[in-house]
Amino acid sequence: MDMKLEVVVIPVADVDRSKDFYVGLGWRLDADVSGDGGFRVVQVTPPGSGCSVIFGSEVSAAAPGSVEGLHLVVADVEAARAELAGKGVDVSEVFHDAGGVFHHAGTKHQVPGPDPDRTSYGSFASFTDPDGNAWTLQEITERLPGR
């Protein structure tokens, strides 16, 4: 049976600020629905993604800004970084990991610049939303077998 990731919920403090941020990135606004008692759901989808992001009021008990490790796959991390920076996003410089596989948490093992061999899955840049939810751009030019 196929199982596809459809939605990721992120906790935010200010729904309108978050909506402005993500729509400002060029993400499609799919829904902004309010319900009883202050309940509100906003759904946005990154360009080309089959998975959407939801945030709002009373949709998560997690602390705003507590999500880490959200990855956006891009074909060219330097171009994606430049596009985000051009939209006013405080995005890191491109980096790769000293260990050469994925990336460690934090910045201790980050090496400036893309992976020297430009291996697929090996180059990154990162940014946070206004609440501190952490996103990583990961360059993938050739998928692993079966992907």
Side-chain angles (χ1 to χ4, degrees), residues 2 6 11-12 29 32 45 47 69 77 87 99 101 114 121 124 139-140:
D2 284 350
E6 181 74 14
V12 302
L29 177 62
D32 185 346
T45 303
V77 70
K87 293 179 180 187
V101 177
Y121 298 91
F124 310 91
E139 183 176 87
I140 299 178

Side-chain angles (χ1 to χ4, degrees), residues 102-129:
F102 198 59
H103 59 84
H104 289 78
T107 60
K108 180 179 176 184
H109 297 280
Q110 287 183 5
V111 179
D115 175 71
D117 297 324
R118 283 315 272 265
T119 56
S120 198
Y121 298 91
S123 300
F124 310 91
S126 60
F127 68 96
T128 60
D129 73 6

Side-chain angles (χ1 to χ4, degrees), residues 30-101:
D30 300 320
D32 185 346
V33 181
S34 296
D36 294 336
F39 181 73
R40 182 175 174 197
V41 177
V42 175
Q43 179 173 310
V44 294
T45 303
S49 180
C51 182
S52 299
V53 174
I54 285 180
F55 51 87
S57 302
E58 300 183 35
V59 297
S60 176
S66 61
V67 174
E68 295 180 351
L70 299 165
H71 279 63
L72 296 168
V73 172
V74 297
D76 182 334
V77 70
E78 291 171 317
R81 185 211 169 276
E83 183 177 319
L84 287 174
K87 293 179 180 187
V89 176
D90 183 14
V91 59
S92 77
E93 295 297 325
V94 173
F95 64 90
H96 64 282
D97 190 82
V101 177

